[in-house]
Amino acid sequence: MSIAELGPLGFDGGQGVFNGVPEGATLTIEPGVKIYLHENATFAVNGVLNAVGAPDNMITFTHANCFEHWGNLYFTGEQASESTLEYVRIQYSDDGVKGENAFPHRIANSIIRKVGIYGLKIALREGDHQGIEVVGNTISQGAGVGISIDLGPGATIPQITVRENELSNFYNAGVIIGADEDLTTTPQVVVEHNVFENGFRGIGGGFSAVG
């Protein structure tokens, strides 16, 4: 599936504002593509999104109106966890990337900036998931948490890796990983070589299953 096949919801300055990826579909976004979203609009991914830009030609999700924030990239459904974001710029959204029982298995070398609350907000309450790898990103300027990962007792995930990211200017913690209920299995969690600047807190976490 291409951007053109999604069909536009509306236009702003000749640019399409798109509805996302339906279940059963795979959307590949090429380097250099810019997607403009209107106030509170969510780019929902129920299928697979492969957005892989290049160091000098990033893919951009941004606001259609300079006075408005759009919603977020929202991943849900089993297929959405096969998605990849790399060399992507996400800016001026209420939250950067959110997931409900789904999340891209890899987010790397991307810029997430000037968000309302969260940079990445992941809630996995049930289902079997691939490992999550968040590597080499710059995540900055939000009122909440840079990276928040919340696991529920019905979720199984082998590994969570948060490595070599730069997080700055978040009012709350840079990274929070935890579970508010007992987990069936506890993932291997690797948080290393991240840089935290100009924030009130660094890393928080806890797994009730392991005390």
Side-chain angles (χ1 to χ4, degrees), residues 124-164:
L124 303 179
R125 315 302 300 168
E126 58 186 26
D128 296 328
H129 303 274
Q130 301 182 48
I132 292 175
E133 188 177 21
V134 180
V135 177
N137 303 285
T138 300
I139 304 173
S140 64
Q141 296 168 283
V145 177
I147 300 172
S148 173
I149 302 175
D150 180 33
L151 305 178
T156 300
I157 182 168
Q159 182 165 328
I160 297 169
T161 300
V162 180
R163 177 186 291 130
E164 297 174 359

PDB file of all heavy atoms in Angstrom, residues 124-164:
ATOM      1  N   LEU A 124       0.867  -2.381  27.172  1.00  0.00           N
ATOM      2  CA  LEU A 124       0.669  -3.756  26.707  1.00  0.00           C
ATOM      3  C   LEU A 124       0.008  -4.533  27.846  1.00  0.00           C
ATOM      4  O   LEU A 124       0.652  -4.909  28.819  1.00  0.00           O
ATOM      5  CB  LEU A 124       2.007  -4.390  26.322  1.00  0.00           C
ATOM      6  CG  LEU A 124       2.836  -3.652  25.261  1.00  0.00           C
ATOM      7  CD1 LEU A 124       4.136  -4.394  24.998  1.00  0.00           C
ATOM      8  CD2 LEU A 124       2.043  -3.477  23.971  1.00  0.00           C
ATOM      9  N   ARG A 125      -1.284  -4.763  27.734  1.00  0.00           N
ATOM     10  CA  ARG A 125      -2.043  -5.412  28.803  1.00  0.00           C
ATOM     11  C   ARG A 125      -2.294  -6.884  28.532  1.00  0.00           C
ATOM     12  O   ARG A 125      -2.574  -7.644  29.458  1.00  0.00           O
ATOM     13  CB  ARG A 125      -3.393  -4.698  28.992  1.00  0.00           C
ATOM     14  CG  ARG A 125      -3.328  -3.177  29.019  1.00  0.00           C
ATOM     15  CD  ARG A 125      -2.424  -2.657  30.094  1.00  0.00           C
ATOM     16  NE  ARG A 125      -2.832  -3.055  31.421  1.00  0.00           N
ATOM     17  CZ  ARG A 125      -2.085  -2.919  32.508  1.00  0.00           C
ATOM     18  NH1 ARG A 125      -0.857  -2.415  32.401  1.00  0.00           N
ATOM     19  NH2 ARG A 125      -2.521  -3.295  33.688  1.00  0.00           N
ATOM     20  N   GLU A 126      -2.223  -7.276  27.258  1.00  0.00           N
ATOM     21  CA  GLU A 126      -2.500  -8.669  26.908  1.00  0.00           C
ATOM     22  C   GLU A 126      -1.838  -8.995  25.578  1.00  0.00           C
ATOM     23  O   GLU A 126      -1.416  -8.095  24.828  1.00  0.00           O
ATOM     24  CB  GLU A 126      -4.001  -8.913  26.813  1.00  0.00           C
ATOM     25  CG  GLU A 126      -4.704  -8.030  25.798  1.00  0.00           C
ATOM     26  CD  GLU A 126      -6.204  -8.186  25.831  1.00  0.00           C
ATOM     27  OE1 GLU A 126      -6.749  -8.555  26.885  1.00  0.00           O
ATOM     28  OE2 GLU A 126      -6.833  -7.932  24.788  1.00  0.00           O
ATOM     29  N   GLY A 127      -1.728 -10.296  25.262  1.00  0.00           N
ATOM     30  CA  GLY A 127      -1.191 -10.736  23.978  1.00  0.00           C
ATOM     31  C   GLY A 127       0.287 -11.064  24.025  1.00  0.00           C
ATOM     32  O   GLY A 127       1.008 -10.710  24.957  1.00  0.00           O
ATOM     33  N   ASP A 128       0.742 -11.775  22.994  1.00  0.00           N
ATOM     34  CA  ASP A 128       2.158 -12.110  22.823  1.00  0.00           C
ATOM     35  C   ASP A 128       2.796 -11.090  21.883  1.00  0.00           C
ATOM     36  O   ASP A 128       2.293 -10.858  20.783  1.00  0.00           O
ATOM     37  CB  ASP A 128       2.307 -13.514  22.239  1.00  0.00           C
ATOM     38  CG  ASP A 128       1.786 -14.586  23.186  1.00  0.00           C
ATOM     39  OD1 ASP A 128       1.885 -14.391  24.415  1.00  0.00           O
ATOM     40  OD2 ASP A 128       1.275 -15.612  22.700  1.00  0.00           O
ATOM     41  N   HIS A 129       3.911 -10.519  22.302  1.00  0.00           N
ATOM     42  CA  HIS A 129       4.529  -9.431  21.562  1.00  0.00           C
ATOM     43  C   HIS A 129       5.986  -9.735  21.261  1.00  0.00           C
ATOM     44  O   HIS A 129       6.659 -10.452  22.010  1.00  0.00           O
ATOM     45  CB  HIS A 129       4.442  -8.124  22.357  1.00  0.00           C
ATOM     46  CG  HIS A 129       3.043  -7.746  22.712  1.00  0.00           C
ATOM     47  ND1 HIS A 129       2.228  -7.031  21.870  1.00  0.00           N
ATOM     48  CD2 HIS A 129       2.305  -8.000  23.833  1.00  0.00           C
ATOM     49  CE1 HIS A 129       1.056  -6.856  22.437  1.00  0.00           C
ATOM     50  NE2 HIS A 129       1.078  -7.424  23.625  1.00  0.00           N
ATOM     51  N   GLN A 130       6.460  -9.166  20.150  1.00  0.00           N
ATOM     52  CA  GLN A 130       7.890  -9.174  19.887  1.00  0.00           C
ATOM     53  C   GLN A 130       8.590  -8.275  20.899  1.00  0.00           C
ATOM     54  O   GLN A 130       7.965  -7.477  21.583  1.00  0.00           O
ATOM     55  CB  GLN A 130       8.181  -8.637  18.480  1.00  0.00           C
ATOM     56  CG  GLN A 130       7.521  -9.390  17.349  1.00  0.00           C
ATOM     57  CD  GLN A 130       7.914  -8.792  16.009  1.00  0.00           C
ATOM     58  OE1 GLN A 130       9.083  -8.550  15.739  1.00  0.00           O
ATOM     59  NE2 GLN A 130       6.931  -8.563  15.155  1.00  0.00           N
ATOM     60  N   GLY A 131       9.906  -8.374  20.960  1.00  0.00           N
ATOM     61  CA  GLY A 131      10.636  -7.431  21.780  1.00  0.00           C
ATOM     62  C   GLY A 131      10.488  -6.012  21.256  1.00  0.00           C
ATOM     63  O   GLY A 131      10.215  -5.785  20.079  1.00  0.00           O
ATOM     64  N   ILE A 132      10.647  -5.050  22.145  1.00  0.00           N
ATOM     65  CA  ILE A 132      10.608  -3.637  21.772  1.00  0.00           C
ATOM     66  C   ILE A 132      12.022  -3.084  21.851  1.00  0.00           C
ATOM     67  O   ILE A 132      12.722  -3.256  22.855  1.00  0.00           O
ATOM     68  CB  ILE A 132       9.671  -2.841  22.696  1.00  0.00           C
ATOM     69  CG1 ILE A 132       8.220  -3.265  22.469  1.00  0.00           C
ATOM     70  CG2 ILE A 132       9.829  -1.342  22.468  1.00  0.00           C
ATOM     71  CD1 ILE A 132       7.251  -2.605  23.427  1.00  0.00           C
ATOM     72  N   GLU A 133      12.436  -2.398  20.782  1.00  0.00           N
ATOM     73  CA  GLU A 133      13.765  -1.804  20.719  1.00  0.00           C
ATOM     74  C   GLU A 133      13.620  -0.310  20.434  1.00  0.00           C
ATOM     75  O   GLU A 133      13.106   0.083  19.389  1.00  0.00           O
ATOM     76  CB  GLU A 133      14.583  -2.488  19.624  1.00  0.00           C
ATOM     77  CG  GLU A 133      16.040  -2.092  19.594  1.00  0.00           C
ATOM     78  CD  GLU A 133      16.825  -2.851  18.537  1.00  0.00           C
ATOM     79  OE1 GLU A 133      16.198  -3.369  17.583  1.00  0.00           O
ATOM     80  OE2 GLU A 133      18.060  -2.918  18.661  1.00  0.00           O
ATOM     81  N   VAL A 134      14.055   0.509  21.380  1.00  0.00           N
ATOM     82  CA  VAL A 134      14.029   1.963  21.236  1.00  0.00           C
ATOM     83  C   VAL A 134      15.478   2.428  21.326  1.00  0.00           C
ATOM     84  O   VAL A 134      16.066   2.469  22.405  1.00  0.00           O
ATOM     85  CB  VAL A 134      13.154   2.613  22.327  1.00  0.00           C
ATOM     86  CG1 VAL A 134      13.140   4.135  22.161  1.00  0.00           C
ATOM     87  CG2 VAL A 134      11.730   2.063  22.287  1.00  0.00           C
ATOM     88  N   VAL A 135      16.073   2.775  20.172  1.00  0.00           N
ATOM     89  CA  VAL A 135      17.522   2.954  20.102  1.00  0.00           C
ATOM     90  C   VAL A 135      17.879   4.199  19.289  1.00  0.00           C
ATOM     91  O   VAL A 135      17.368   4.405  18.183  1.00  0.00           O
ATOM     92  CB  VAL A 135      18.193   1.718  19.457  1.00  0.00           C
ATOM     93  CG1 VAL A 135      19.690   1.936  19.315  1.00  0.00           C
ATOM     94  CG2 VAL A 135      17.920   0.472  20.267  1.00  0.00           C
ATOM     95  N   GLY A 136      18.737   5.030  19.859  1.00  0.00           N
ATOM     96  CA  GLY A 136      19.343   6.118  19.098  1.00  0.00           C
ATOM     97  C   GLY A 136      18.434   7.280  18.773  1.00  0.00           C
ATOM     98  O   GLY A 136      18.689   8.012  17.809  1.00  0.00           O
ATOM     99  N   ASN A 137      17.381   7.475  19.570  1.00  0.00           N
ATOM    100  CA  ASN A 137      16.418   8.537  19.291  1.00  0.00           C
ATOM    101  C   ASN A 137      16.701   9.793  20.114  1.00  0.00           C
ATOM    102  O   ASN A 137      17.330   9.727  21.172  1.00  0.00           O
ATOM    103  CB  ASN A 137      15.001   8.044  19.611  1.00  0.00           C
ATOM    104  CG  ASN A 137      14.649   6.788  18.850  1.00  0.00           C
ATOM    105  OD1 ASN A 137      14.390   6.834  17.659  1.00  0.00           O
ATOM    106  ND2 ASN A 137      14.645   5.653  19.536  1.00  0.00           N
ATOM    107  N   THR A 138      16.214  10.919  19.632  1.00  0.00           N
ATOM    108  CA  THR A 138      16.209  12.175  20.389  1.00  0.00           C
ATOM    109  C   THR A 138      14.760  12.503  20.716  1.00  0.00           C
ATOM    110  O   THR A 138      13.944  12.703  19.819  1.00  0.00           O
ATOM    111  CB  THR A 138      16.838  13.311  19.569  1.00  0.00           C
ATOM    112  OG1 THR A 138      18.188  12.974  19.251  1.00  0.00           O
ATOM    113  CG2 THR A 138      16.814  14.617  20.350  1.00  0.00           C
ATOM    114  N   ILE A 139      14.434  12.513  22.011  1.00  0.00           N
ATOM    115  CA  ILE A 139      13.058  12.704  22.467  1.00  0.00           C
ATOM    116  C   ILE A 139      13.061  13.883  23.431  1.00  0.00           C
ATOM    117  O   ILE A 139      13.743  13.842  24.463  1.00  0.00           O
ATOM    118  CB  ILE A 139      12.522  11.429  23.143  1.00  0.00           C
ATOM    119  CG1 ILE A 139      12.642  10.235  22.184  1.00  0.00           C
ATOM    120  CG2 ILE A 139      11.088  11.612  23.575  1.00  0.00           C
ATOM    121  CD1 ILE A 139      12.300   8.896  22.816  1.00  0.00           C
ATOM    122  N   SER A 140      12.318  14.941  23.119  1.00  0.00           N
ATOM    123  CA  SER A 140      12.464  16.157  23.914  1.00  0.00           C
ATOM    124  C   SER A 140      11.177  16.968  23.974  1.00  0.00           C
ATOM    125  O   SER A 140      10.304  16.855  23.126  1.00  0.00           O
ATOM    126  CB  SER A 140      13.587  17.030  23.321  1.00  0.00           C
ATOM    127  OG  SER A 140      13.248  17.474  22.024  1.00  0.00           O
ATOM    128  N   GLN A 141      11.078  17.744  25.045  1.00  0.00           N
ATOM    129  CA  GLN A 141      10.100  18.824  25.193  1.00  0.00           C
ATOM    130  C   GLN A 141       8.660  18.315  25.305  1.00  0.00           C
ATOM    131  O   GLN A 141       7.869  18.378  24.376  1.00  0.00           O
ATOM    132  CB  GLN A 141      10.223  19.816  24.036  1.00  0.00           C
ATOM    133  CG  GLN A 141      11.570  20.530  24.006  1.00  0.00           C
ATOM    134  CD  GLN A 141      11.793  21.274  22.719  1.00  0.00           C
ATOM    135  OE1 GLN A 141      12.114  20.665  21.695  1.00  0.00           O
ATOM    136  NE2 GLN A 141      11.635  22.592  22.754  1.00  0.00           N
ATOM    137  N   GLY A 142       8.337  17.809  26.506  1.00  0.00           N
ATOM    138  CA  GLY A 142       6.977  17.386  26.801  1.00  0.00           C
ATOM    139  C   GLY A 142       6.654  17.593  28.269  1.00  0.00           C
ATOM    140  O   GLY A 142       7.553  17.694  29.110  1.00  0.00           O
ATOM    141  N   ALA A 143       5.372  17.621  28.594  1.00  0.00           N
ATOM    142  CA  ALA A 143       4.954  17.886  29.973  1.00  0.00           C
ATOM    143  C   ALA A 143       4.896  16.625  30.829  1.00  0.00           C
ATOM    144  O   ALA A 143       4.715  16.718  32.042  1.00  0.00           O
ATOM    145  CB  ALA A 143       3.574  18.555  29.972  1.00  0.00           C
ATOM    146  N   GLY A 144       5.054  15.435  30.213  1.00  0.00           N
ATOM    147  CA  GLY A 144       4.930  14.203  30.966  1.00  0.00           C
ATOM    148  C   GLY A 144       6.213  13.410  31.021  1.00  0.00           C
ATOM    149  O   GLY A 144       7.228  13.872  31.544  1.00  0.00           O
ATOM    150  N   VAL A 145       6.188  12.191  30.454  1.00  0.00           N
ATOM    151  CA  VAL A 145       7.299  11.247  30.507  1.00  0.00           C
ATOM    152  C   VAL A 145       7.842  11.045  29.097  1.00  0.00           C
ATOM    153  O   VAL A 145       7.086  10.933  28.134  1.00  0.00           O
ATOM    154  CB  VAL A 145       6.829   9.895  31.093  1.00  0.00           C
ATOM    155  CG1 VAL A 145       7.952   8.880  31.099  1.00  0.00           C
ATOM    156  CG2 VAL A 145       6.290  10.092  32.509  1.00  0.00           C
ATOM    157  N   GLY A 146       9.159  10.946  28.992  1.00  0.00           N
ATOM    158  CA  GLY A 146       9.760  10.725  27.684  1.00  0.00           C
ATOM    159  C   GLY A 146       9.375   9.378  27.099  1.00  0.00           C
ATOM    160  O   GLY A 146       8.874   9.286  25.977  1.00  0.00           O
ATOM    161  N   ILE A 147       9.605   8.300  27.855  1.00  0.00           N
ATOM    162  CA  ILE A 147       9.269   6.941  27.425  1.00  0.00           C
ATOM    163  C   ILE A 147       8.548   6.253  28.576  1.00  0.00           C
ATOM    164  O   ILE A 147       9.122   6.051  29.647  1.00  0.00           O
ATOM    165  CB  ILE A 147      10.524   6.137  27.043  1.00  0.00           C
ATOM    166  CG1 ILE A 147      11.282   6.817  25.900  1.00  0.00           C
ATOM    167  CG2 ILE A 147      10.147   4.704  26.657  1.00  0.00           C
ATOM    168  CD1 ILE A 147      12.638   6.179  25.597  1.00  0.00           C
ATOM    169  N   SER A 148       7.296   5.872  28.373  1.00  0.00           N
ATOM    170  CA  SER A 148       6.501   5.195  29.392  1.00  0.00           C
ATOM    171  C   SER A 148       6.051   3.841  28.849  1.00  0.00           C
ATOM    172  O   SER A 148       5.402   3.764  27.807  1.00  0.00           O
ATOM    173  CB  SER A 148       5.277   6.037  29.760  1.00  0.00           C
ATOM    174  OG  SER A 148       4.410   5.308  30.624  1.00  0.00           O
ATOM    175  N   ILE A 149       6.410   2.753  29.561  1.00  0.00           N
ATOM    176  CA  ILE A 149       6.036   1.399  29.161  1.00  0.00           C
ATOM    177  C   ILE A 149       5.329   0.741  30.339  1.00  0.00           C
ATOM    178  O   ILE A 149       5.907   0.597  31.425  1.00  0.00           O
ATOM    179  CB  ILE A 149       7.264   0.571  28.739  1.00  0.00           C
ATOM    180  CG1 ILE A 149       8.007   1.269  27.589  1.00  0.00           C
ATOM    181  CG2 ILE A 149       6.845  -0.840  28.330  1.00  0.00           C
ATOM    182  CD1 ILE A 149       9.301   0.592  27.183  1.00  0.00           C
ATOM    183  N   ASP A 150       4.080   0.340  30.130  1.00  0.00           N
ATOM    184  CA  ASP A 150       3.255  -0.242  31.187  1.00  0.00           C
ATOM    185  C   ASP A 150       2.797  -1.624  30.741  1.00  0.00           C
ATOM    186  O   ASP A 150       2.143  -1.761  29.697  1.00  0.00           O
ATOM    187  CB  ASP A 150       2.057   0.670  31.460  1.00  0.00           C
ATOM    188  CG  ASP A 150       1.166   0.119  32.551  1.00  0.00           C
ATOM    189  OD1 ASP A 150       1.683  -0.526  33.478  1.00  0.00           O
ATOM    190  OD2 ASP A 150      -0.062   0.331  32.474  1.00  0.00           O
ATOM    191  N   LEU A 151       3.127  -2.649  31.530  1.00  0.00           N
ATOM    192  CA  LEU A 151       2.808  -4.024  31.168  1.00  0.00           C
ATOM    193  C   LEU A 151       1.728  -4.580  32.085  1.00  0.00           C
ATOM    194  O   LEU A 151       1.734  -4.341  33.295  1.00  0.00           O
ATOM    195  CB  LEU A 151       4.055  -4.897  31.265  1.00  0.00           C
ATOM    196  CG  LEU A 151       5.280  -4.438  30.465  1.00  0.00           C
ATOM    197  CD1 LEU A 151       6.445  -5.381  30.697  1.00  0.00           C
ATOM    198  CD2 LEU A 151       4.954  -4.333  28.980  1.00  0.00           C
ATOM    199  N   GLY A 152       0.806  -5.354  31.498  1.00  0.00           N
ATOM    200  CA  GLY A 152      -0.252  -5.998  32.257  1.00  0.00           C
ATOM    201  C   GLY A 152      -0.039  -7.496  32.340  1.00  0.00           C
ATOM    202  O   GLY A 152       0.809  -8.057  31.631  1.00  0.00           O
ATOM    203  N   PRO A 153      -0.804  -8.191  33.202  1.00  0.00           N
ATOM    204  CA  PRO A 153      -0.564  -9.610  33.463  1.00  0.00           C
ATOM    205  C   PRO A 153      -0.814 -10.514  32.267  1.00  0.00           C
ATOM    206  O   PRO A 153      -0.284 -11.621  32.205  1.00  0.00           O
ATOM    207  CB  PRO A 153      -1.540  -9.917  34.593  1.00  0.00           C
ATOM    208  CG  PRO A 153      -2.619  -8.890  34.451  1.00  0.00           C
ATOM    209  CD  PRO A 153      -1.935  -7.658  33.978  1.00  0.00           C
ATOM    210  N   GLY A 154      -1.594 -10.047  31.294  1.00  0.00           N
ATOM    211  CA  GLY A 154      -1.874 -10.870  30.127  1.00  0.00           C
ATOM    212  C   GLY A 154      -0.897 -10.695  28.994  1.00  0.00           C
ATOM    213  O   GLY A 154      -1.031 -11.320  27.941  1.00  0.00           O
ATOM    214  N   ALA A 155       0.116  -9.843  29.166  1.00  0.00           N
ATOM    215  CA  ALA A 155       1.073  -9.552  28.096  1.00  0.00           C
ATOM    216  C   ALA A 155       2.340 -10.378  28.274  1.00  0.00           C
ATOM    217  O   ALA A 155       2.858 -10.515  29.383  1.00  0.00           O
ATOM    218  CB  ALA A 155       1.419  -8.072  28.086  1.00  0.00           C
ATOM    219  N   THR A 156       2.839 -10.902  27.173  1.00  0.00           N
ATOM    220  CA  THR A 156       4.111 -11.617  27.152  1.00  0.00           C
ATOM    221  C   THR A 156       5.028 -10.935  26.152  1.00  0.00           C
ATOM    222  O   THR A 156       4.671 -10.761  24.987  1.00  0.00           O
ATOM    223  CB  THR A 156       3.911 -13.087  26.736  1.00  0.00           C
ATOM    224  OG1 THR A 156       3.036 -13.725  27.669  1.00  0.00           O
ATOM    225  CG2 THR A 156       5.248 -13.816  26.737  1.00  0.00           C
ATOM    226  N   ILE A 157       6.198 -10.513  26.632  1.00  0.00           N
ATOM    227  CA  ILE A 157       7.177  -9.865  25.765  1.00  0.00           C
ATOM    228  C   ILE A 157       8.560 -10.291  26.235  1.00  0.00           C
ATOM    229  O   ILE A 157       8.860 -10.232  27.440  1.00  0.00           O
ATOM    230  CB  ILE A 157       7.007  -8.332  25.771  1.00  0.00           C
ATOM    231  CG1 ILE A 157       8.000  -7.670  24.819  1.00  0.00           C
ATOM    232  CG2 ILE A 157       7.115  -7.749  27.172  1.00  0.00           C
ATOM    233  CD1 ILE A 157       7.698  -6.206  24.570  1.00  0.00           C
ATOM    234  N   PRO A 158       9.432 -10.772  25.331  1.00  0.00           N
ATOM    235  CA  PRO A 158      10.715 -11.320  25.785  1.00  0.00           C
ATOM    236  C   PRO A 158      11.713 -10.273  26.257  1.00  0.00           C
ATOM    237  O   PRO A 158      12.454 -10.514  27.208  1.00  0.00           O
ATOM    238  CB  PRO A 158      11.237 -12.065  24.552  1.00  0.00           C
ATOM    239  CG  PRO A 158      10.563 -11.396  23.392  1.00  0.00           C
ATOM    240  CD  PRO A 158       9.218 -10.981  23.891  1.00  0.00           C
ATOM    241  N   GLN A 159      11.766  -9.107  25.599  1.00  0.00           N
ATOM    242  CA  GLN A 159      12.816  -8.139  25.926  1.00  0.00           C
ATOM    243  C   GLN A 159      12.374  -6.722  25.593  1.00  0.00           C
ATOM    244  O   GLN A 159      11.678  -6.494  24.603  1.00  0.00           O
ATOM    245  CB  GLN A 159      14.109  -8.461  25.171  1.00  0.00           C
ATOM    246  CG  GLN A 159      15.253  -7.506  25.500  1.00  0.00           C
ATOM    247  CD  GLN A 159      16.613  -8.023  25.053  1.00  0.00           C
ATOM    248  OE1 GLN A 159      16.852  -9.229  25.051  1.00  0.00           O
ATOM    249  NE2 GLN A 159      17.499  -7.120  24.674  1.00  0.00           N
ATOM    250  N   ILE A 160      12.800  -5.793  26.423  1.00  0.00           N
ATOM    251  CA  ILE A 160      12.607  -4.367  26.179  1.00  0.00           C
ATOM    252  C   ILE A 160      13.988  -3.716  26.236  1.00  0.00           C
ATOM    253  O   ILE A 160      14.697  -3.829  27.241  1.00  0.00           O
ATOM    254  CB  ILE A 160      11.685  -3.733  27.233  1.00  0.00           C
ATOM    255  CG1 ILE A 160      10.284  -4.351  27.169  1.00  0.00           C
ATOM    256  CG2 ILE A 160      11.605  -2.216  27.046  1.00  0.00           C
ATOM    257  CD1 ILE A 160       9.397  -3.981  28.342  1.00  0.00           C
ATOM    258  N   THR A 161      14.370  -3.051  25.158  1.00  0.00           N
ATOM    259  CA  THR A 161      15.680  -2.409  25.085  1.00  0.00           C
ATOM    260  C   THR A 161      15.501  -0.917  24.857  1.00  0.00           C
ATOM    261  O   THR A 161      14.846  -0.501  23.894  1.00  0.00           O
ATOM    262  CB  THR A 161      16.527  -3.002  23.945  1.00  0.00           C
ATOM    263  OG1 THR A 161      16.702  -4.404  24.173  1.00  0.00           O
ATOM    264  CG2 THR A 161      17.893  -2.332  23.873  1.00  0.00           C
ATOM    265  N   VAL A 162      16.071  -0.116  25.735  1.00  0.00           N
ATOM    266  CA  VAL A 162      16.070   1.346  25.601  1.00  0.00           C
ATOM    267  C   VAL A 162      17.528   1.765  25.685  1.00  0.00           C
ATOM    268  O   VAL A 162      18.127   1.784  26.760  1.00  0.00           O
ATOM    269  CB  VAL A 162      15.226   2.010  26.708  1.00  0.00           C
ATOM    270  CG1 VAL A 162      15.249   3.527  26.553  1.00  0.00           C
ATOM    271  CG2 VAL A 162      13.785   1.501  26.678  1.00  0.00           C
ATOM    272  N   ARG A 163      18.109   2.132  24.541  1.00  0.00           N
ATOM    273  CA  ARG A 163      19.562   2.304  24.491  1.00  0.00           C
ATOM    274  C   ARG A 163      19.944   3.518  23.634  1.00  0.00           C
ATOM    275  O   ARG A 163      19.370   3.763  22.583  1.00  0.00           O
ATOM    276  CB  ARG A 163      20.210   1.046  23.900  1.00  0.00           C
ATOM    277  CG  ARG A 163      21.715   1.136  23.733  1.00  0.00           C
ATOM    278  CD  ARG A 163      22.285  -0.085  23.010  1.00  0.00           C
ATOM    279  NE  ARG A 163      22.198  -1.282  23.825  1.00  0.00           N
ATOM    280  CZ  ARG A 163      21.695  -2.439  23.409  1.00  0.00           C
ATOM    281  NH1 ARG A 163      21.214  -2.555  22.187  1.00  0.00           N
ATOM    282  NH2 ARG A 163      21.679  -3.475  24.214  1.00  0.00           N
ATOM    283  N   GLU A 164      20.908   4.269  24.121  1.00  0.00           N
ATOM    284  CA  GLU A 164      21.558   5.333  23.352  1.00  0.00           C
ATOM    285  C   GLU A 164      20.571   6.402  22.865  1.00  0.00           C
ATOM    286  O   GLU A 164      20.720   6.948  21.777  1.00  0.00           O
ATOM    287  CB  GLU A 164      22.329   4.737  22.172  1.00  0.00           C
ATOM    288  CG  GLU A 164      23.464   3.829  22.622  1.00  0.00           C
ATOM    289  CD  GLU A 164      24.155   3.116  21.489  1.00  0.00           C
ATOM    290  OE1 GLU A 164      23.743   3.306  20.318  1.00  0.00           O
ATOM    291  OE2 GLU A 164      25.108   2.356  21.756  1.00  0.00           O
TER     292      GLU A 164
END
